[in-house]
Structures are given as C-alpha cells and as structure tokens.
Amino acid sequence: MRKYILIFIGLILFVSCEKEGIQSNLKLCSDEYFYYSGGSKIFLKHSLNEVWIVFKQKDLTGELAKSILEKYSFISTDNLSSDSYYDQIRAIINENWDCSDFKNYLKELNKDIEISSATPVFYLSDDDPMTYWILLSEVLTEYDNEKITESEFIKYAETLNLELIESKYLIQHFKVKDVETGFEALEIANEIYESGKIHYSHPNFITYRTLH
C-alpha cells in the first residue's frame, strides 16, 4: 500500500501546480457516490466541470493531445501547451450540463481509440474546491487469506472486469480491463468489499488537499 501512496504524491504535486485555478467555477452533480475506507463509507460528488483523461500513447506532444481532444466540442484545450508532453490531463468542460449529459460524454470519450480512460473528478463538498479526488481506472485490494487463496481471489477479481498488475504481500493492484462509463473502478471496488473476501478494497485515486 505504501508504495502506491509514494508513487502518487509526485502526481499530486504535478497536477496541483499545473492546473491551479481550474476549480474556480466548480459545479457538482447531485448524485452521491461512495467508497469504503476503514469499514465506513466515504461519500463523494463528482464535478461537472472536469474530467481526467489518460491517453493510450505516452508523452504526447501538446499538438497531438489537442488534435485528439478538439474532436469534442465540450472539452476546452486552452490549458494544453504545445511545448509540453502529456500522458494524462485534467481537462476542463466548457459547457454547462447535467449529470446525465456528463455520463454520456464520459462514455463518448471512452470509445476513443486514442484514450485509455476518461474518469470523473470527485469532491467532498461544493464549498471546498481545493480538495479533490481524481478517480483512476484501478483498484487496490488486500484479500483475506483465511477466507480465500490468492489465486482464487485473483480469478474472482478477473471475472469483475479487472486485470492484475501486481500482487505482493497479500496486496493486489488491478486495472479495469474495459472502461466504458469511467465509474467502473469505484463500482467494482465496492462490489469486492461487499463480498467479504478482503480486508480492504478501494479504487485508486490521485488526491489533492490544501491545508486551510
């Protein structure tokens, strides 16, 4: 678990510096989502202004990234620099839309052969725009070896649209095989937790927090 936290600290700092001020016009969907942490439900609402996009090709030039995203009228490419390279981006939505529209556009982005995944950005509340969770299409688990073997658990997880990245010391790192809605990691992690086969199961996030 510690290894993944260290990996994503670098991403947190990079995203916060590059996208400062992106939350200035924050609008949240009224639908409430949750994930399990420490046996409790952590409730979140996703932004209608932002989407996290991971490209299939690594180190895309700004021009290539723009050419992919400019196909979508609802995505702003103003924050893309031609002099930079991109693996992923927290993209700005330049239209006002409702929750249903947002989900439909996520599905549209996830059909793009040049995009690996498009996922929502979550907030705890609409009055704290500087604290947010970027949902990744990945799930972290620790199976309960008194209830199930490692191989049995991995086979079970793979039936839920997951692909194993690494398993070590009872801890598994999975990625979602087929991303369609962008919410799969959250839904699958909750399903695994509720199965009772694990000590913990939650989606992988990039988390940004500002101390007040």
Side-chain angles (χ1 to χ4, degrees):
M1 181 66 176
R2 183 175 298 166
K3 177 176 68 173
Y4 301 121
I5 293 173
L6 290 174
I7 287 172
F8 291 123
I9 284 175
L11 290 177
I12 292 166
L13 295 175
F14 175 79
V15 171
S16 65
C17 292
E18 185 182 8
K19 305 296 183 295
E20 185 176 355
I22 198 171
Q23 314 95 330
S24 59
N25 190 29
L26 180 64
K27 182 180 178 183
L28 301 183
C29 175
S30 59
D31 295 344
E32 201 164 45
Y33 294 82
F34 69 89
Y35 70 97
Y36 290 98
S37 178
S40 301
K41 291 181 178 179
I42 307 298
F43 290 93
L44 304 164
K45 293 181 179 180
H46 69 77
S47 170
L48 295 174
N49 307 98
E50 306 147 84
V51 59
W52 182 251
I53 295 173
V54 179
F55 299 108
K56 285 190 176 177
Q57 182 179 332
K58 303 299 183 185
D59 293 326
L60 280 177
T61 65
E63 289 184 1
L64 282 174
K66 280 187 178 182
S67 70
I68 293 171
L69 298 182
E70 282 175 344
K71 295 180 291 186
Y72 305 99
S73 62
F74 52 88
I75 295 288
S76 171
T77 59
D78 293 344
N79 60 327
L80 284 168
S81 170
S82 298
D83 299 326
S84 299
Y85 292 85
Y86 299 90
D87 294 340
Q88 60 259 320
I89 184 173
R90 185 160 153 243
I92 303 169
I93 306 303
N94 57 19
E95 296 179 6
N96 291 321
W97 50 10
D98 59 23
C99 301
S100 178
D101 290 331
F102 179 86
K103 291 172 185 176
N104 287 334
Y105 283 126
L106 272 186
K107 291 178 182 178
E108 186 176 346
L109 288 167
N110 280 313
K111 291 178 182 177
D112 195 313
I113 61 173
E114 295 179 286
I115 292 175
S116 178
S117 65
T119 53
V121 177
F122 285 96
Y123 291 80
L124 286 174
S125 67
D126 54 9
D127 58 0
D128 187 9
M130 296 305 294
T131 301
Y132 56 84
W133 283 257
I134 294 171
L135 178 64
L136 303 179
S137 290
E138 301 176 2
V139 175
L140 302 177
T141 62
E142 181 182 353
Y143 74 93
D144 187 341
N145 62 354
E146 294 184 356
K147 296 180 179 179
I148 192 170
T149 66
E150 180 180 19
S151 61
E152 288 173 337
F153 177 73
I154 291 171
K155 286 181 181 179
Y156 160 70
E158 288 175 342
T159 67
L160 302 177
N161 190 27
L162 293 180
E163 179 179 332
L164 182 68
I165 297 175
E166 184 180 15
S167 182
K168 193 173 183 180
Y169 306 123
L170 303 181
I171 297 172
Q172 296 73 46
H173 181 194
F174 295 97
K175 69 176 182 179
V176 178
K177 287 190 289 187
D178 299 310
V179 182
E180 296 182 2
T181 68
F183 290 85
E184 285 91 350
L186 190 64
E187 296 163 350
I188 295 170
N190 288 347
E191 183 174 349
I192 292 175
Y193 182 89
E194 292 165 0
S195 74
K197 302 176 189 293
I198 46 75
H199 291 298
Y200 70 78
S201 173
H202 58 78
N204 210 0
F205 290 99
I206 297 173
T207 305
Y208 177 87
R209 297 186 182 186
T210 298
L211 298 177
H212 299 286

